[in-house]
């Protein structure tokens, strides 16, 4: 995916003065040499370890902070993203806008589309016991129309406006320098999944809103967590771990039970990913451990 990603950047970054930083988490497939040959002007940070997505983001941001004059905003981007014309300029331009009752925009995100043109529902509400229960009983897409019953935002009008969300997909997001300096580093205890959730919620705690910029758009080629038992298990465990950090023990027990209900009910339909997640949720050690590679 790297060559196509690099080739797409001039179009997506049109209108802004930008530099590329690539964090490489100890790859062994020639990625570093490929990037240096195709984008010799890029800053490549070799972390020397695979400590996860948040660690890669932190390494890249630390390298960018060494530039003379620093930077006004950072665009955190997966290599499986293909930005459309002027996407970055629109995202950066949205940063700092005042938001009634929510401070100002510290994180802006675009509309994301699947390869076939289907809109990806990238906006989310913060986890609640009722929302986990609604997703378990009704299903997240059907429940997504009702704020009380799902984390997933599926209301079409939300994606046609500058909608403020509790958090959003971390595949592509612009962050203001002020937000980054106030909130600090990304939480590396989340190896993969929930790191963007934690950061958006933390930003909200500090008065920085996460908001959709519907004029900006990109194609997202990802989605492996939906088919991989290992990745789905990691995603599920991290949801519960993050909830536990922000809520009381009794509330966490209820949330854990609602998530387990969802996974066991889907496992009963013969779905391997849900079966693996249900097993992990009933493990005495899985939730206490820090999930890694």
């Amino acid at each position: 995916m790297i060559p196509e990603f690099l080739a797409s950047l001039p179009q997506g970054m049109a209108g802004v003065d930008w530099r590329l930083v690539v964090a490489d988490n100890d790859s062994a497939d020639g990625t570093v040499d490929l990037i240096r040959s195709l984008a010799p002007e890029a800053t490549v940070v070799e972390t020397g370890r695979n400590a996860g997505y948040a660690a890669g983001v932190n390494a890249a941001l630390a390298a960018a902070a060494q530039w003379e004059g620093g930077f006004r905003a950072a665009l955190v981007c997966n290599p499986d993203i293909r930005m459309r014309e002027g996407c970055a300029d629109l995202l950066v331009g949205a940063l700092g806008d005042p938001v009634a009752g929510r401070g100002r925009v510290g994180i802006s995100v675009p509309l994301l589309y699947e390869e076939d043109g289907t809109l990806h529902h990238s906006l989310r509400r913060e986890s609640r016991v009722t929302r986990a229960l609604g997703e378990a009983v009704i299903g997240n897409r059907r429940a997504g129309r009702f704020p009380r019953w799902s984390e997933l935002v599926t209301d079409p009008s939300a994606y046609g406006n500058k909608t403020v969300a509790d958090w959003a997909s971390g595949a592509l997001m612009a962050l203001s320098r002020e937000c980054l300096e106030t909130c600090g580093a990304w939480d590396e205890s989340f190896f993969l999944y929930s790191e963007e959730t934690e950061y958006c919620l933390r930003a909200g705690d500090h008065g920085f809103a996460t908001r959709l910029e519907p004029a900006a758009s990109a194609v997202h080629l990802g989605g492996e967590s939906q088919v991989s038992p290992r990745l789905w298990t990691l995603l599920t465990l991290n949801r519960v771990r993050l909830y536990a950090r922000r809520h009381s023990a009794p509330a966490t027990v209820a949330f854990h039970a609602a998530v387990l209900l969802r996974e066991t009910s889907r496992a009963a339909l013969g779905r391997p990913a849900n079966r693996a997640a249900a097993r992990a949720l009933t493990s005495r050690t899985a939730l206490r451990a820090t999930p890694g590679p």
Side-chain angles (χ1 to χ4, degrees):
M1 291 187 175
I2 294 293
E4 290 184 10
F5 170 72
L6 295 174
S8 72
L9 286 179
Q11 171 182 274
M13 303 297 291
V16 297
D17 181 18
W18 61 281
R19 295 175 65 178
L20 175 64
V21 184
V22 180
D24 180 78
N25 276 346
D26 200 28
S27 66
D29 59 359
T31 292
V32 171
D33 290 338
L34 178 66
I35 292 169
R36 285 177 171 156
S37 66
L38 295 178
E41 74 288 351
T43 298
V44 180
V45 181
E46 296 184 70
T47 65
R49 59 187 183 134
N50 186 10
Y53 189 69
V57 171
N58 287 336
L61 289 172
Q66 303 303 310
W67 296 339
E68 184 177 354
F71 55 87
R72 184 164 64 95
L75 198 71
V76 175
C77 188
N78 284 7
D80 60 356
I81 283 289
R82 304 292 180 265
M83 287 183 281
R84 291 175 175 167
E85 183 78 30
C87 179
D89 193 24
L90 291 164
L91 292 179
V92 172
L95 296 174
D97 284 355
V99 179
R102 304 288 287 267
R104 56 201 175 281
V105 177
I107 302 172
S108 60
V109 297
L111 289 175
L112 292 179
Y113 292 91
E114 310 289 353
E115 285 185 85
D116 62 3
T118 303
L119 176 68
H120 174 65
H121 293 131
S122 58
L123 302 180
R124 300 289 191 276
R125 307 177 183 101
E126 186 174 359
S127 293
R128 295 282 185 269
V129 174
T130 54
R131 289 169 180 162
L133 186 61
E135 292 177 354
V137 175
I138 307 172
N140 61 347
R141 293 196 177 275
R142 287 190 294 272
R145 294 173 293 173
F146 310 103
R148 181 181 178 84
W149 297 110
S150 179
E151 291 182 32
L152 185 67
V153 178
T154 60
D155 182 359
S157 66
Y159 294 90
N161 295 287
K162 296 185 177 184
T163 301
V164 173
D166 292 330
W167 64 280
S169 169
L172 174 61
M173 51 173 51
L175 301 97
S176 70
R177 180 173 179 174
E178 184 183 10
C179 178
L180 288 166
E181 290 178 343
T182 301
C183 297
W186 287 45
D187 189 337
E188 296 183 15
S189 70
F190 295 101
F191 177 80
L192 185 65
Y193 304 120
S194 288
E195 69 279 271
E196 80 269 47
T197 313
E198 191 279 333
Y199 205 85
C200 289
L201 296 179
R202 194 188 339 155
D205 294 340
H206 286 89
F208 294 99
T210 298
R211 194 182 72 181
L212 173 71
E213 176 46 68
S217 63
V219 176
H220 187 204
L221 308 179
E224 189 178 356
S225 65
Q226 302 300 318
V227 296
S228 165
R230 177 173 170 271
L231 292 181
W232 183 255
T233 297
L234 185 56
L235 183 154
T236 304
L237 290 177
N238 277 350
R239 280 185 66 201
V240 178
R241 291 176 63 237
L242 177 56
Y243 186 91
R245 292 188 186 185
R246 296 179 62 87
H247 298 85
S248 67
T252 300
V253 169
F255 183 75
H256 178 277
V259 174
L260 180 59
L261 174 62
R262 183 190 190 281
E263 298 308 311
T264 53
S265 64
R266 273 58 172 186
L269 300 175
R271 299 176 183 175
N274 300 107
R275 189 180 303 119
R279 282 198 301 267
L281 286 167
T282 57
S283 166
R284 293 183 178 182
T285 59
L287 284 170
R288 290 198 296 269
T290 299

